[in-house]
Amino acid sequence: MEMNVEIVYYKSPIGALEIRSSGNYITHILFVNSWRGNKINEDAIVFTEPKSVAIKECIQQLNEYFAGERRVFTFDKDQSGTAFQQKVWRELMNISYGRTISYLELSKRIGDTKAIRAVGTANGNNSICIVVPCHRVIGSNGDLVGYGGDLWRKKWLLEHEGKIANGLQTLF
């Protein structure tokens, strides 16, 4: 049985986000018109007030994040995926704000360096962007690679976090 699902659009400094909730949980946060997100006319988006407490809380915390006042998200989330994907997504939550790790390091952290490609795929299948911080994973040589929300957004998010966490102007 489907819980009451709500879909709301949120205007972030780097483009519209589609936020979905199911019951008390956030299930999706994806940039529209990105590699992973729905392709829609952003000019036609109607930004409505959310009804669910879950989305209201999510938007409040995203506002705080973009204002540089929040480093950790505390609202309830529920992302469906395989046991392996869940393991990767849980490990992403352990990457500190303002820091990056490589895909190789991420595969080491989950205990299987041979799984580097699968780790990259699981990272790319994350449907709760920003909050489950897949943007903090970079190539072993330090290059920005692979981001479902498009690489320019990954760069923006890392620079935003770096400025606040480290007082740096740019990381890349």
Side-chain angles (χ1 to χ4, degrees):
M1 187 173 118
E2 188 77 14
M3 300 282 289
N4 41 336
V5 172
E6 183 177 12
I7 300 172
V8 171
Y9 293 96
Y10 169 79
K11 192 176 286 198
S12 87
I14 49 177
L17 287 163
E18 180 182 296
I19 303 172
R20 291 183 188 199
S21 68
S22 180
N24 297 322
Y25 298 95
I26 297 299
T27 60
H28 293 78
I29 300 174
L30 293 171
F31 288 101
V32 301
N33 295 322
S34 65
W35 178 73
R36 284 283 321 275
N38 285 333
K39 312 302 181 258
I40 55 178
N41 177 356
E42 286 195 52
D43 295 332
I45 292 174
V46 178
F47 295 94
T48 57
E49 282 298 310
K51 294 176 185 68
S52 74
V53 172
I55 293 185
K56 287 178 185 174
E57 214 173 271
C58 174
I59 288 174
Q60 175 63 40
Q61 291 187 25
L62 284 169
N63 285 338
E64 292 165 0
Y65 170 84
F66 285 116
E69 298 162 358
R70 175 174 290 277
R71 296 177 183 213
V72 176
F73 294 89
T74 57
F75 58 81
D76 293 328
K77 53 203 156 303
D78 183 27
Q79 182 170 199
S80 57
T82 66
F84 180 80
Q85 288 173 324
Q86 296 289 343
K87 186 175 184 180
V88 171
W89 298 333
R90 272 193 306 277
E91 194 53 50
L92 289 174
M93 301 298 289
N94 293 324
I95 306 170
S96 298
Y97 179 95
R99 302 274 178 239
T100 59
I101 66 169
S102 68
Y103 288 94
L104 180 60
E105 176 61 26
L106 182 56
S107 61
K108 282 179 186 168
R109 288 185 183 191
I110 65 154
D112 187 357
T113 55
K114 291 188 189 80
I116 188 168
R117 285 181 186 268
V119 162
T121 301
N123 196 55
N125 284 325
N126 172 33
S127 292
I128 305 181
C129 73
I130 302 171
V131 176
V132 178
C134 54
H135 62 278
R136 295 181 190 152
V137 184
I138 61 175
S140 293
N141 61 358
D143 285 351
L144 295 184
V145 292
Y147 185 60
D150 300 327
L151 287 179
W152 70 271
R153 288 190 181 101
K154 182 172 187 163
K155 182 177 191 287
W156 190 98
L157 290 166
L158 293 174
E159 287 179 353
H160 170 71
E161 292 180 2
K163 275 188 279 200
I164 290 148
N166 311 315
L168 300 174
Q169 288 309 304
T170 56
L171 290 173
F172 302 95

